[in-house]
PDB file of all heavy atoms in Angstrom:
ATOM      1  N   ALA A  62      -0.669   6.537 -26.594  1.00 97.00           N
ATOM      2  CA  ALA A  62      -2.080   6.487 -26.166  1.00 97.00           C
ATOM      3  C   ALA A  62      -2.995   7.185 -27.158  1.00 97.00           C
ATOM      4  O   ALA A  62      -2.541   7.845 -28.100  1.00 97.00           O
ATOM      5  CB  ALA A  62      -2.208   7.121 -24.786  1.00 97.00           C
ATOM      6  N   CYS A  63      -4.298   7.046 -26.923  1.00 95.00           N
ATOM      7  CA  CYS A  63      -5.333   7.606 -27.790  1.00 95.00           C
ATOM      8  C   CYS A  63      -5.299   9.135 -27.750  1.00 95.00           C
ATOM      9  O   CYS A  63      -5.159   9.719 -26.679  1.00 95.00           O
ATOM     10  CB  CYS A  63      -6.708   7.150 -27.331  1.00 95.00           C
ATOM     11  SG  CYS A  63      -6.785   5.395 -27.011  1.00 95.00           S
ATOM     12  N   ASN A  64      -5.474   9.762 -28.903  1.00 97.00           N
ATOM     13  CA  ASN A  64      -5.482  11.216 -28.992  1.00 97.00           C
ATOM     14  C   ASN A  64      -6.189  11.642 -30.280  1.00 97.00           C
ATOM     15  O   ASN A  64      -5.921  11.045 -31.325  1.00 97.00           O
ATOM     16  CB  ASN A  64      -4.048  11.746 -29.025  1.00 97.00           C
ATOM     17  CG  ASN A  64      -4.002  13.247 -29.117  1.00 97.00           C
ATOM     18  OD1 ASN A  64      -4.355  13.938 -28.192  1.00 97.00           O
ATOM     19  ND2 ASN A  64      -3.594  13.766 -30.270  1.00 97.00           N
ATOM     20  N   PRO A  65      -7.059  12.658 -30.221  1.00 96.00           N
ATOM     21  CA  PRO A  65      -7.581  13.337 -29.040  1.00 96.00           C
ATOM     22  C   PRO A  65      -8.746  12.532 -28.447  1.00 96.00           C
ATOM     23  O   PRO A  65      -9.157  11.526 -29.016  1.00 96.00           O
ATOM     24  CB  PRO A  65      -8.067  14.671 -29.606  1.00 96.00           C
ATOM     25  CG  PRO A  65      -8.529  14.328 -30.987  1.00 96.00           C
ATOM     26  CD  PRO A  65      -7.614  13.230 -31.479  1.00 96.00           C
ATOM     27  N   ILE A  66      -9.286  13.010 -27.308  1.00 96.00           N
ATOM     28  CA  ILE A  66     -10.473  12.398 -26.699  1.00 96.00           C
ATOM     29  C   ILE A  66     -11.538  13.485 -26.567  1.00 96.00           C
ATOM     30  O   ILE A  66     -11.277  14.541 -25.984  1.00 96.00           O
ATOM     31  CB  ILE A  66     -10.144  11.804 -25.316  1.00 96.00           C
ATOM     32  CG1 ILE A  66      -9.146  10.639 -25.456  1.00 96.00           C
ATOM     33  CG2 ILE A  66     -11.417  11.339 -24.615  1.00 96.00           C
ATOM     34  CD1 ILE A  66      -8.729  10.016 -24.135  1.00 96.00           C
ATOM     35  N   ALA A  67     -12.718  13.229 -27.138  1.00 93.00           N
ATOM     36  CA  ALA A  67     -13.826  14.182 -27.018  1.00 93.00           C
ATOM     37  C   ALA A  67     -14.342  14.174 -25.576  1.00 93.00           C
ATOM     38  O   ALA A  67     -14.231  13.163 -24.870  1.00 93.00           O
ATOM     39  CB  ALA A  67     -14.950  13.799 -27.973  1.00 93.00           C
ATOM     40  N   PHE A  68     -14.900  15.311 -25.165  1.00 89.00           N
ATOM     41  CA  PHE A  68     -15.375  15.465 -23.786  1.00 89.00           C
ATOM     42  C   PHE A  68     -16.404  14.413 -23.386  1.00 89.00           C
ATOM     43  O   PHE A  68     -16.538  14.105 -22.215  1.00 89.00           O
ATOM     44  CB  PHE A  68     -16.002  16.849 -23.614  1.00 89.00           C
ATOM     45  CG  PHE A  68     -15.107  17.824 -22.923  1.00 89.00           C
ATOM     46  CD1 PHE A  68     -13.755  17.882 -23.216  1.00 89.00           C
ATOM     47  CD2 PHE A  68     -15.610  18.699 -21.977  1.00 89.00           C
ATOM     48  CE1 PHE A  68     -12.926  18.788 -22.589  1.00 89.00           C
ATOM     49  CE2 PHE A  68     -14.789  19.615 -21.338  1.00 89.00           C
ATOM     50  CZ  PHE A  68     -13.448  19.653 -21.653  1.00 89.00           C
ATOM     51  N   ASP A  69     -17.160  13.906 -24.365  1.00 86.00           N
ATOM     52  CA  ASP A  69     -18.225  12.959 -24.002  1.00 86.00           C
ATOM     53  C   ASP A  69     -17.786  11.509 -24.198  1.00 86.00           C
ATOM     54  O   ASP A  69     -18.620  10.614 -24.228  1.00 86.00           O
ATOM     55  CB  ASP A  69     -19.495  13.262 -24.803  1.00 86.00           C
ATOM     56  CG  ASP A  69     -19.244  13.235 -26.301  1.00 86.00           C
ATOM     57  OD1 ASP A  69     -18.068  13.153 -26.713  1.00 86.00           O
ATOM     58  OD2 ASP A  69     -20.222  13.292 -27.060  1.00 86.00           O
ATOM     59  N   LYS A  70     -16.478  11.257 -24.324  1.00 93.00           N
ATOM     60  CA  LYS A  70     -16.008   9.889 -24.568  1.00 93.00           C
ATOM     61  C   LYS A  70     -15.154   9.372 -23.414  1.00 93.00           C
ATOM     62  O   LYS A  70     -14.295  10.094 -22.880  1.00 93.00           O
ATOM     63  CB  LYS A  70     -15.153   9.828 -25.850  1.00 93.00           C
ATOM     64  CG  LYS A  70     -15.866  10.264 -27.109  1.00 93.00           C
ATOM     65  CD  LYS A  70     -16.894   9.246 -27.569  1.00 93.00           C
ATOM     66  CE  LYS A  70     -17.494   9.671 -28.896  1.00 93.00           C
ATOM     67  NZ  LYS A  70     -18.906   9.419 -29.023  1.00 93.00           N
ATOM     68  N   GLY A  71     -15.386   8.105 -23.089  1.00 96.00           N
ATOM     69  CA  GLY A  71     -14.492   7.396 -22.190  1.00 96.00           C
ATOM     70  C   GLY A  71     -14.522   7.868 -20.747  1.00 96.00           C
ATOM     71  O   GLY A  71     -15.319   8.721 -20.357  1.00 96.00           O
TER      72      GLY A  71
END
Side-chain angles (χ1 to χ4, degrees):
C63 313
N64 180 69
I66 295 178
F68 258 41
D69 56 351
K70 300 288 185 219

